[in-house]
Amino acid sequence: MAILSRRTLLGPLILIALIAVGYPALWYFASGKAVEAVEGWIEARRGEGFEIAHEPLEANGFPLIIRVSVPAPSIVHPDKRWVWNSDHVDIEMQPW
């Protein structure tokens, strides 16, 4: 009977271990993709002639949200018609 209880507990323990390791891996993978998407958007706007400056991007918000923080962003329109600045911008998404 003791063998049956060990087997009964083994499956849920393996599942918990997979979730404990797998979800953080998923979150870090997804946060890297989110940072790449923001960088891609910035590069596309630069290709259109916008002048964009910012401090290094940061991903945070683990475990329930992916937040890409853009410190000290500045955007200048290609025709210099307008300029936009901020202390920071946060872009948020769910990791699932």
Side-chain angles (χ1 to χ4, degrees):
M1 200 58 137
I3 293 174
L4 181 61
S5 354
R6 288 182 188 165
R7 287 184 182 168
T8 304
L9 289 176
L10 188 58
L13 289 176
I14 290 172
L15 181 61
I16 290 169
L18 287 174
I19 290 171
V21 171
Y23 182 75
L26 168 71
W27 188 92
Y28 284 107
F29 174 78
S31 68
K33 290 294 186 181
V35 168
E36 288 176 11
V38 172
E39 289 172 339
W41 183 89
I42 290 169
E43 289 306 314
R45 301 299 75 79
R46 285 179 176 154
E48 296 170 0
F50 287 88
E51 295 175 27
I52 300 177
H54 58 83
E55 298 294 321
L57 304 180
E58 301 172 359
N60 53 49
F62 182 81
L64 299 178
I65 196 161
I66 295 173
R67 181 181 305 110
V68 178
S69 295
V70 185
S74 172
I75 302 175
V76 179
H77 188 272
D79 297 333
K80 311 282 191 248
R81 291 187 298 184
W82 55 264
V83 175
W84 178 83
N85 300 303
S86 181
D87 292 333
H88 76 278
V89 171
D90 289 333
I91 302 157
E92 297 180 349
M93 65 173 265
Q94 299 295 325
W96 45 84

